[in-house]
mmCIF file of all heavy atoms in Angstrom:
data_model
loop_
_atom_site.group_PDB
_atom_site.id
_atom_site.type_symbol
_atom_site.label_atom_id
_atom_site.label_comp_id
_atom_site.label_asym_id
_atom_site.label_seq_id
_atom_site.Cartn_x
_atom_site.Cartn_y
_atom_site.Cartn_z
ATOM 1 N N ILE H 76 -38.600 24.676 -48.964
ATOM 2 C CA ILE H 76 -37.374 24.184 -49.613
ATOM 3 C C ILE H 76 -37.010 25.144 -50.742
ATOM 4 O O ILE H 76 -37.762 25.308 -51.691
ATOM 5 C CB ILE H 76 -37.558 22.754 -50.143
ATOM 6 C CG1 ILE H 76 -37.977 21.836 -49.001
ATOM 7 C CG2 ILE H 76 -36.278 22.255 -50.799
ATOM 8 C CD1 ILE H 76 -38.375 20.440 -49.432
ATOM 9 N N GLU H 81 -36.205 23.348 -58.628
ATOM 10 C CA GLU H 81 -35.166 22.770 -59.501
ATOM 11 C C GLU H 81 -35.143 21.247 -59.426
ATOM 12 O O GLU H 81 -34.459 20.595 -60.209
ATOM 13 C CB GLU H 81 -33.783 23.293 -59.087
ATOM 14 C CG GLU H 81 -33.574 24.752 -59.433
ATOM 15 C CD GLU H 81 -32.325 25.299 -58.766
ATOM 16 O OE1 GLU H 81 -31.425 24.501 -58.434
ATOM 17 O OE2 GLU H 81 -32.265 26.519 -58.568
ATOM 18 N N GLU H 86 -37.783 13.587 -57.714
ATOM 19 C CA GLU H 86 -37.328 14.133 -56.435
ATOM 20 C C GLU H 86 -38.454 14.870 -55.711
ATOM 21 O O GLU H 86 -38.597 14.774 -54.493
ATOM 22 C CB GLU H 86 -36.138 15.076 -56.656
ATOM 23 C CG GLU H 86 -34.867 14.349 -57.046
ATOM 24 C CD GLU H 86 -33.766 15.257 -57.549
ATOM 25 O OE1 GLU H 86 -34.060 16.361 -58.047
ATOM 26 O OE2 GLU H 86 -32.593 14.857 -57.465
ATOM 27 N N GLN H 89 -40.907 12.321 -54.327
ATOM 28 C CA GLN H 89 -40.308 11.663 -53.158
ATOM 29 C C GLN H 89 -40.344 12.559 -51.945
ATOM 30 O O GLN H 89 -40.619 12.114 -50.837
ATOM 31 C CB GLN H 89 -38.858 11.293 -53.463
ATOM 32 C CG GLN H 89 -38.713 9.917 -54.041
ATOM 33 C CD GLN H 89 -37.267 9.471 -54.078
ATOM 34 O OE1 GLN H 89 -36.546 9.556 -53.106
ATOM 35 N NE2 GLN H 89 -36.840 9.000 -55.222
ATOM 36 N N GLU H 97 -42.451 12.345 -42.155
ATOM 37 C CA GLU H 97 -41.851 13.160 -41.111
ATOM 38 C C GLU H 97 -42.951 13.699 -40.193
ATOM 39 O O GLU H 97 -42.837 13.660 -38.976
ATOM 40 C CB GLU H 97 -41.195 14.330 -41.840
ATOM 41 C CG GLU H 97 -39.923 14.847 -41.288
ATOM 42 C CD GLU H 97 -39.484 15.911 -42.270
ATOM 43 O OE1 GLU H 97 -38.898 15.545 -43.302
ATOM 44 O OE2 GLU H 97 -39.764 17.096 -42.026
ATOM 45 N N ASP H 188 -38.154 5.269 -52.985
ATOM 46 C CA ASP H 188 -37.135 5.674 -53.960
ATOM 47 C C ASP H 188 -37.237 4.852 -55.239
ATOM 48 O O ASP H 188 -37.359 5.372 -56.341
ATOM 49 C CB ASP H 188 -35.756 5.509 -53.306
ATOM 50 C CG ASP H 188 -34.632 5.951 -54.225
ATOM 51 O OD1 ASP H 188 -34.848 6.931 -54.964
ATOM 52 O OD2 ASP H 188 -33.558 5.331 -54.216
ATOM 53 N N ASP H 192 -39.006 5.986 -58.791
ATOM 54 C CA ASP H 192 -38.047 6.056 -59.885
ATOM 55 C C ASP H 192 -38.606 5.345 -61.123
ATOM 56 O O ASP H 192 -38.588 5.872 -62.231
ATOM 57 C CB ASP H 192 -36.748 5.386 -59.416
ATOM 58 C CG ASP H 192 -35.595 5.753 -60.304
ATOM 59 O OD1 ASP H 192 -35.649 6.846 -60.898
ATOM 60 O OD2 ASP H 192 -34.656 4.953 -60.418
ATOM 61 N N ARG W 5 -27.487 3.954 -61.558
ATOM 62 C CA ARG W 5 -27.892 3.705 -60.187
ATOM 63 C C ARG W 5 -27.454 2.321 -59.745
ATOM 64 O O ARG W 5 -27.275 1.431 -60.549
ATOM 65 C CB ARG W 5 -29.417 3.820 -60.090
ATOM 66 C CG ARG W 5 -29.925 5.050 -60.776
ATOM 67 C CD ARG W 5 -31.409 5.191 -60.544
ATOM 68 N NE ARG W 5 -31.658 6.439 -59.888
ATOM 69 C CZ ARG W 5 -31.913 6.566 -58.609
ATOM 70 N NH1 ARG W 5 -31.939 5.523 -57.835
ATOM 71 N NH2 ARG W 5 -32.141 7.742 -58.093
ATOM 72 N N ASN W 102 -30.521 10.799 -55.001
ATOM 73 C CA ASN W 102 -31.084 12.028 -55.533
ATOM 74 C C ASN W 102 -31.292 13.051 -54.410
ATOM 75 O O ASN W 102 -31.145 12.744 -53.238
ATOM 76 C CB ASN W 102 -32.369 11.750 -56.308
ATOM 77 C CG ASN W 102 -33.491 11.283 -55.424
ATOM 78 O OD1 ASN W 102 -33.683 11.797 -54.320
ATOM 79 N ND2 ASN W 102 -34.245 10.304 -55.896
ATOM 80 N N ARG W 103 -31.660 14.265 -54.789
ATOM 81 C CA ARG W 103 -31.740 15.356 -53.815
ATOM 82 C C ARG W 103 -32.765 15.096 -52.720
ATOM 83 O O ARG W 103 -32.559 15.458 -51.559
ATOM 84 C CB ARG W 103 -32.057 16.668 -54.542
ATOM 85 C CG ARG W 103 -30.842 17.223 -55.248
ATOM 86 C CD ARG W 103 -31.216 18.375 -56.130
ATOM 87 N NE ARG W 103 -31.899 17.906 -57.343
ATOM 88 C CZ ARG W 103 -32.082 18.652 -58.421
ATOM 89 N NH1 ARG W 103 -31.645 19.892 -58.442
ATOM 90 N NH2 ARG W 103 -32.689 18.159 -59.480
ATOM 91 N N ALA W 104 -33.858 14.448 -53.101
ATOM 92 C CA ALA W 104 -34.898 14.166 -52.105
ATOM 93 C C ALA W 104 -34.367 13.227 -51.030
ATOM 94 O O ALA W 104 -34.607 13.414 -49.840
ATOM 95 C CB ALA W 104 -36.116 13.559 -52.782
ATOM 96 N N LYS W 111 -31.978 15.212 -42.785
ATOM 97 C CA LYS W 111 -33.031 15.611 -41.852
ATOM 98 C C LYS W 111 -33.159 14.595 -40.710
ATOM 99 O O LYS W 111 -33.366 14.961 -39.569
ATOM 100 C CB LYS W 111 -34.352 15.743 -42.614
ATOM 101 C CG LYS W 111 -35.436 16.289 -41.778
ATOM 102 C CD LYS W 111 -36.165 17.433 -42.417
ATOM 103 C CE LYS W 111 -36.930 18.151 -41.326
ATOM 104 N NZ LYS W 111 -38.069 18.882 -41.766
ATOM 105 N N TYR W 155 -25.605 5.732 -48.344
ATOM 106 C CA TYR W 155 -26.877 5.279 -48.890
ATOM 107 C C TYR W 155 -27.629 4.483 -47.821
ATOM 108 O O TYR W 155 -27.050 3.646 -47.164
ATOM 109 C CB TYR W 155 -26.626 4.400 -50.117
ATOM 110 C CG TYR W 155 -27.849 4.275 -50.980
ATOM 111 C CD1 TYR W 155 -28.142 5.277 -51.895
ATOM 112 C CD2 TYR W 155 -28.704 3.206 -50.848
ATOM 113 C CE1 TYR W 155 -29.282 5.186 -52.672
ATOM 114 C CE2 TYR W 155 -29.844 3.112 -51.618
ATOM 115 C CZ TYR W 155 -30.126 4.102 -52.525
ATOM 116 O OH TYR W 155 -31.257 4.017 -53.281
#
Side-chain angles (χ1 to χ4, degrees):
Chain H
I76 303 172
E81 289 169 23
E86 289 168 335
Q89 269 191 50
E97 216 176 278
D188 182 36
D192 196 27
Chain W
R5 313 185 121 258
N102 68 41
R103 283 171 285 195
K111 186 130 197 205
Y155 199 83

